[in-house]
Amino acid sequence: MKAERAKLKRLQRLEKLRDVTKQAALGEAARAESTLAQLTTLAERTRALTQDYSTRTDMTDGADLSRMVRFVAGLQGIATTTNADRQRAHALADKRQAELAAAERRRAAVEERANTQARFIAAKAKYTALSNQTFMPSAARGKTGTEPA
């Protein structure tokens, strides 16, 4: 019985450890999702700025036009970099979500093992309590089975 209780204690400690690991994975996943959201917003704003500036027609001379073309080219470079960053952040967020799911599966598996062990200990204790009772046959109690009820 002592070994079963020790196993249950170990499983409960392992479940707590797995829960802490899951919480850490949850924090990492939340940070990755936040970064992805920020980069998505930035990519959209950069794209909108690029479109707005590329359609402007209020330049008065060639120098203004040349500056505008260079500015729009710079914005397009920033948009390209931001989109690449967003794609990397998306891949990282997906990876963190997968890690979170795996951590939850590991925690749930240990929880199930601990619950099974606890049920086993309870069943064994009940069986032991029942087996320690002494049952007397009716003949030992002075009854033969022919008495009226």
Side-chain angles (χ1 to χ4, degrees), residues 69-138:
V69 168
R70 284 194 310 270
F71 182 69
V72 169
L75 279 176
Q76 287 171 340
I78 292 170
T80 301
T81 302
T82 303
N83 278 326
D85 290 345
R86 190 192 63 76
Q87 288 173 347
R88 280 192 298 277
H90 191 279
L92 181 63
D94 287 347
K95 179 182 174 188
R96 295 293 186 241
Q97 285 294 331
E99 289 171 356
L100 174 60
E104 172 56 23
R105 283 191 304 274
R106 286 190 299 271
R107 189 210 57 79
V110 170
E111 178 185 35
E112 180 57 34
R113 285 173 44 206
N115 289 340
T116 301
Q117 183 68 19
R119 284 192 302 272
F120 173 75
I121 290 171
K124 190 173 181 181
K126 184 177 180 182
Y127 176 77
T128 302
L130 288 176
S131 66
N132 287 338
Q133 293 178 356
T134 48
F135 294 101
M136 291 177 130
S138 58

Side-chain angles (χ1 to χ4, degrees), residues 8-82:
L8 178 60
K9 293 278 186 201
R10 281 192 312 272
L11 286 170
Q12 289 171 336
R13 284 192 308 268
L14 183 59
E15 181 185 356
K16 287 178 185 177
L17 181 66
R18 295 279 166 90
D19 189 50
V20 168
T21 304
K22 184 191 106 172
Q23 294 300 323
L26 182 64
E28 290 293 321
R31 280 190 287 282
E33 289 292 333
S34 174
T35 301
L36 175 60
Q38 289 173 348
L39 284 170
T40 299
T41 301
L42 184 59
E44 285 298 314
R45 288 179 61 203
T46 306
R47 184 195 54 75
L49 277 172
T50 302
Q51 283 182 341
D52 289 345
Y53 277 103
S54 65
T55 59
R56 288 182 66 178
T57 58
D58 60 347
M59 280 68 66
T60 56
D61 58 15
D64 285 346
L65 180 59
S66 177
R67 280 191 294 274
M68 183 59 64
V69 168
R70 284 194 310 270
F71 182 69
V72 169
L75 279 176
Q76 287 171 340
I78 292 170
T80 301
T81 302
T82 303

